[in-house]
Amino acid sequence: VPSSLTAPERLVAVAVPVPGLGLLTYRVPPALGDAPKGARVRVPLGTRVVTGCVVDPDATPPADAILRDVSAVVDHRPFLPASIVDLALWVGEYYMAGPGDALTVAMPPAAREGRASSFRTVARVTLAPVPGASLDDVRGPKQREAVRHLRAHPEGLALPALVRLGVGAATVRSLADRGLVVLAQEVVFRDPFDDEDGRGSGRWALGPAPDSERALTAEQERALAALENLRAGGGFRTALLHGVTGSGKTELYLQLAARASAGGQHVLMLVPEIALTPAAAGIFRRRFGSRVAIQHSGLSTGERHDQWHLIRRGDVDIVVGTRSAVFAPLERVGLIVVDEEHESSYKQEESPRYNGRDVAVMRGRMESALVVLGSATPSLESFANAKAGRYELVRLTRRVADRPLATVRIVDMRQEFAARGPDVTLGTELVAAIDRRLAKREQTLVLLNRRGFATVIFCRQCAASLECPHCSVSLTYHRASRRVRCHYCDYAAAVPTRCGECGGEFLEQSGFGTERLEADVRARFPGARVRRVDRDTIRRRGAIGEVLRGLAAGEVDILVGTQMIAKGHDFPAVTLVGVVSADVGLGLADFRASERTFQLITQVVGRAGRGDVPGEAVVQTLYPDHYSIRAAAAQDYTAFAAREGEFRATMQYPPAVALINVVVKGRTLDAALADAGDLAVRVRDAGPKGRVIGPAPAAMSKIKDEYRAQFFIKGVRRAAMRRALMAAIDARPDLKRRLIVDVDPMSVL
DNA sequence: AGCACGCCGACT
DNA sequence: GTCGGCGTGCTC
């Protein structure tokens, strides 16, 4: 019976932080007030109460299910902007993660528990508004000192600042007790560019500030005009900015950002999660000052929280951050820049397995913004989109200041091996080139993308190699710790003296990593100052910054390292880059192996010759004819993209097709294969569109004592592929927990 | 992901 | 006889 006396029951659809669980509907008791889209709510779930996010404030009742009441409304205004809720829902669906995981990544870390926001407060001290005469009566020298400082600062001073000036907190306290000064608690936003007490000399300390715009080359001017034209057009557009290393992409981003913010638009700048992320943030901070907020994993939870709320309050108009910053709660985004768009760190390797670059493009579409994807080595996906006309292609073909690209020589190490044995790290040519640099006091980078001292330990009697007991990989020998270690599960053990298989006592090492390379470099160049950068040497926070600063200050002659030294850095005194074993990675059973190799070599070679002296590179390899190495040496992206594009088309890999990688874990390999097989058959039956390849044991068939089988779904329409897979999973809900679904995988290993 | 329920092994 | 191992199923 309809009655005007019974208010219509208010129902909300809520995303709860439970992987794979869909939206749930709850009643909102009128007494709890409004719960708009984007607000957090505490809701009963089974026997517990969790914090969820309202996704639909006016939901329709589901067919079955007995509805429960929301237990509390945390926010009566949207905590997440509605646009971010929509973006997260799209992520949850596209990447098959469900709304719970997706909304969780869109929230700042502390908010996920539904705790009230907490800010750090500090006491601000001001002179009490009393006649000056009484202040002159102040007796103690400490107190007089305090009054003198406070007179100089009529706006007041933070207590920690007074303490630094030599005025003790006790002194302030006694002044306050007599009513001569006023203490007020004030909220301070933790600024990642300041240290704990706000002196600005902390971890992300700035150089001489502020920075001003640089003159552009003619080519940069044209590129800026093209991008600015797209931005000013006002609609959604995506541009691929393909600029060679050292062509000044960053200055373009800065000037484009300046135009956008001058036009009242907000700017989102995404950078990959690599060693120089703080440096990139610093460049924006120097140019734009406090209008910039920072979001990346190197910040403390408190800093992230504060920066997030600055953005949410609309107090900044530029955000610089890594992957998850794509969800930054800016409300008038007009420009989104994704720097080094090909970088694999944009892909999150846990649920939701989203690619920040692709989410950025979707955000641009949803908010009618210009999205600029920048790279010296664009991903094949973005290049294909540009060729198809979906993205505007803007090119920078020259380095700034007319600097030449480095000259590159490929050294065929097969001849060195024949002459000097299989364990040569430094070939004759590279040694000679380094000697020339040392004589001229110029710097050298040497890249080897593999850690450790020896990569394999094997038995000369039965040929067995030492494997991880929990994973299907060889253990790597680390000399510094005198232990063997698994690079997948961190298992470590003392170096055995006898073979575990046959008991033979003649164990041999082979293969080499950066630790061995460093030792060889030190032995060969005894007077040189050598440093090494890899995961083993920079574990301590800030360690990499010290090494890089040392290099910039000329305190290092030779820097040895893994890919960490290859990306983005600008070291003007580096004139030589050596690549040892350029083919590390080419042997991997991954469809992106060649692309990764090309990108890594091109990027590291791009570190040479960024100052006044032209650069040189020496690339050592066992596959001197491989197209990825040849194209990288020639720094010829177009040639590489053409050849790699053929491979992808022939083998039916992205971007020729859309790919979903499904991994099924099991107790034994047979069990994993059987379950994967069952699922694969169901996908095949459910989806006439798209093909199913496999199942097969995963390349790493055992990781952390779990066996893994995988199959691929290839097709054109992702929606149809997702539907087929969803139907298969619904038929086997028991497999849900042992399943990894990776849509648009970066790697299928 | 939690959390409860449920059904088999070694102990106060 | 119980405590507790983690397989399975559910969460509006």
Side-chain angles (χ1 to χ4, degrees):
Chain A
V1 181
S3 160
S4 57
L5 294 175
T6 51
E9 206 170 35
R10 182 68 70 191
L11 302 181
V12 288
V14 176
V16 292
V18 175
L21 191 54
L23 297 176
L24 302 180
T25 311
Y26 291 88
R27 297 186 305 216
V28 185
L32 294 184
D34 211 23
K37 177 172 177 175
R40 290 167 300 170
V41 283
R42 301 275 298 161
V43 292
L45 184 68
T47 55
R48 59 209 168 109
V49 176
V50 300
T51 304
C53 182
V54 175
V55 152
D56 180 357
D58 194 15
T60 48
D64 35 19
I66 298 142
L67 302 189
R68 300 172 75 180
D69 285 351
V70 167
S71 24
V73 176
V74 180
D75 315 292
H76 291 284
R77 306 176 60 83
F79 181 72
L80 293 180
S83 59
I84 298 300
V85 173
D86 291 336
L87 185 67
L89 289 176
W90 176 82
V91 165
E93 192 173 311
Y94 185 94
Y95 294 101
M96 298 188 72
D101 276 354
L103 264 303
T104 301
V105 285
M107 298 257 185
R112 294 170 192 174
E113 283 86 55
R115 285 189 270 114
S117 305
S118 82
F119 294 95
R120 192 176 69 139
T121 61
V122 72
R124 177 165 290 272
V125 187
T126 45
L127 285 178
V130 291
S134 66
L135 285 170
D136 294 333
D137 295 342
V138 168
R139 286 284 165 142
K142 285 281 186 188
Q143 298 192 5
R144 298 186 77 90
E145 175 97 353
V147 168
R148 193 168 58 77
H149 286 306
L150 288 168
R151 281 223 166 110
H153 296 272
E155 77 287 355
L157 278 169
L159 189 52
L162 272 170
V163 171
R164 273 200 307 282
L165 291 166
V167 177
T171 310
V172 174
R173 181 68 48 202
S174 58
L175 285 169
D177 287 346
R178 287 191 284 150
L180 297 173
V181 301
V182 179
L183 287 170
Q185 289 298 311
E186 108 176 343
V187 168
V188 286
F189 285 90
R190 280 157 286 206
D191 186 327
F193 286 91
D194 287 349
D195 63 10
E196 284 68 24
D197 30 64
R199 272 174 301 173
S201 56
R203 281 177 289 131
W204 318 114
L206 306 179
D211 189 23
S212 56
E213 294 200 349
R214 294 193 190 149
L216 299 181
T217 64
E219 194 182 44
Q220 281 177 308
E221 287 285 6
R222 282 196 296 278
L224 178 62
L227 294 171
E228 175 57 15
N229 190 42
L230 292 174
R231 188 197 65 78
F236 162 59
R237 294 300 293 272
T238 304
L240 174 60
L241 176 62
H242 176 202
V244 298
T245 55
S247 61
K249 292 186 287 292
T250 304
E251 185 60 29
L252 275 195
Y253 303 149
L254 288 162
Q255 298 201 15
L256 200 55
R259 310 277 178 100
S261 70
Q265 291 181 325
H266 287 161
V267 178
L268 184 52
M269 170 84 197
L270 298 186
V271 294
E273 199 152 79
I274 50 180
L276 60 137
T277 296
I283 289 169
F284 268 76
R285 210 22 151 24
R286 274 196 293 279
R287 187 71 61 89
F288 298 109
S290 60
R291 291 157 55 208
V292 178
I294 310 294
Q295 288 279 300
H296 65 78
S297 60
L299 304 186
S300 71
T301 307
E303 286 169 336
R304 276 186 101 147
H305 166 267
D306 289 4
Q307 294 285 303
W308 192 91
H309 283 277
L310 279 180
I311 302 166
R312 184 70 185 97
R313 289 171 12 160
D315 287 350
V316 297
D317 42 21
I318 298 174
V319 173
V320 182
T322 49
R323 186 173 69 225
S324 65
V326 76
F327 299 104
L330 293 166
E331 300 217 59
R332 296 194 310 277
V333 174
L335 172 66
I336 306 176
V337 176
V338 183
D339 189 26
E340 307 293 354
E341 62 86 26
H342 63 279
E343 275 287 320
S344 57
S345 69
Y346 283 118
K347 179 82 184 200
Q348 173 148 304
E349 295 295 351
E350 62 188 60
S351 179
R353 296 177 174 263
Y354 67 99
N355 187 320
R357 173 200 61 202
D358 297 334
V359 179
V361 173
M362 178 47 71
R363 183 166 184 182
R365 175 189 296 278
M366 290 169 125
E367 301 190 35
S368 296
L370 169 65
V371 182
V372 177
L373 309 180
S375 178
T377 53
S379 64
L380 266 90
E381 282 84 348
S382 295
F383 190 63
N385 280 325
K387 275 202 305 189
R390 287 186 288 274
Y391 296 174
E392 203 73 33
L393 184 59
V394 178
R395 281 203 161 103
L396 293 174
T397 60
R398 293 148 178 252
R399 288 187 154 183
V400 295
D402 278 325
R403 284 176 198 136
L405 286 166
T407 55
V408 184
R409 272 178 301 147
I410 298 179
V411 173
D412 181 352
M413 287 301 279
R414 288 173 300 190
Q415 287 155 21
E416 293 268 355
F417 280 21
R420 295 168 56 202
D423 261 5
V424 178
T425 54
L426 299 167
T428 332
E429 279 203 50
L430 182 51
V431 168
I434 295 175
D435 270 329
R436 287 196 295 275
R437 292 312 174 299
L438 291 173
K440 288 194 279 185
R441 305 194 61 82
E442 293 169 9
Q443 292 173 322
T444 300
L445 294 188
V446 187
L447 171 82
L448 170 57
N449 199 22
R450 197 165 49 202
R451 296 186 288 138
F453 194 84
T455 49
V456 190
I457 291 184
F458 70 95
C459 172
R460 278 170 63 184
Q461 189 167 302
C462 74
S465 64
L466 191 59
E467 281 218 336
C468 174
H470 308 290
C471 308
S472 53
V473 293
S474 293
L475 294 173
T476 299
Y477 171 53
H478 290 256
R479 194 173 66 170
S481 56
R482 304 188 48 78
R483 289 170 87 73
V484 289
R485 290 220 311 264
C486 172
H487 287 178
Y488 284 84
C489 73
D490 281 328
Y491 166 87
V495 184
T497 51
R498 290 174 164 274
C499 172
E501 298 292 315
C502 73
E505 54 190 317
F506 298 101
L507 296 180
E508 200 82 1
Q509 298 175 3
S510 84
F512 51 80
T514 42
E515 198 185 7
R516 159 77 192 289
L517 175 62
E518 181 195 8
D520 286 7
V521 168
R522 285 185 189 279
R524 184 62 190 71
F525 307 102
R529 295 162 299 174
V530 180
R531 296 297 298 268
R532 168 163 65 99
V533 171
D534 57 31
R535 228 149 43 146
D536 300 317
T537 62
I538 56 106
R539 201 161 294 141
R540 191 171 49 82
R541 186 177 186 157
I544 186 155
E546 285 167 28
V547 177
L548 297 181
R549 269 192 294 281
L551 190 72
E555 294 156 11
V556 176
D557 298 312
I558 304 172
L559 184 66
V560 170
T562 56
Q563 51 172 331
M564 279 176 197
I565 65 170
K567 316 264 176 88
H569 307 280
D570 198 2
F571 297 124
V574 170
T575 60
L576 172 66
V577 166
V579 182
V580 174
S581 302
D583 31 78
V584 169
L586 272 185
L588 297 175
D590 191 281
F591 72 94
R592 268 187 233 278
S594 294
E595 185 179 0
R596 285 236 173 81
T597 299
F598 172 79
Q599 286 163 346
L600 182 58
I601 299 175
T602 306
Q603 296 280 349
V604 75
V605 162
R607 296 316 108 207
R610 296 170 80 96
D612 297 331
V613 182
E616 180 189 356
V618 175
V619 176
Q620 300 184 166
T621 176
L622 290 175
Y623 304 94
D625 297 323
H626 194 283
Y627 64 90
S628 66
I629 290 172
R630 284 184 159 267
Q635 295 173 82
D636 186 346
Y637 176 79
T638 312
F640 171 77
R643 181 71 173 75
E644 181 68 5
E646 275 174 44
F647 163 74
R648 303 288 177 89
T650 308
M651 299 303 292
Q652 291 288 280
Y653 275 116
V657 296
L659 180 65
I660 299 179
N661 183 23
V662 183
V663 177
V664 182
K665 295 185 261 195
R667 207 160 254 253
T668 65
L669 186 54
D670 284 342
L673 279 167
D675 287 335
D678 183 56
L679 213 53
V681 166
R682 289 172 193 276
V683 174
R684 234 174 238 130
D685 293 347
K689 290 268 183 208
R691 277 151 300 126
V692 177
I693 315 295
M700 240 82 70
S701 61
K702 186 172 79 163
I703 294 180
K704 296 179 189 170
D705 288 318
E706 279 182 318
Y707 287 86
R708 298 141 42 94
Q710 72 186 147
F711 63 91
F712 298 149
I713 307 171
K714 293 177 175 179
V716 178
R717 299 246 328 119
R718 282 180 188 75
M721 294 157 64
R722 278 197 296 265
R723 264 200 302 280
L725 179 55
M726 199 70 90
I729 295 172
D730 283 344
R732 288 296 305 274
D734 58 309
L735 295 182
K736 256 190 177 171
R737 259 187 230 198
R738 297 190 276 125
L739 210 56
I740 298 170
V741 176
D742 196 350
V743 177
D744 301 342
M746 257 346 246
S747 157
V748 294
L749 288 181

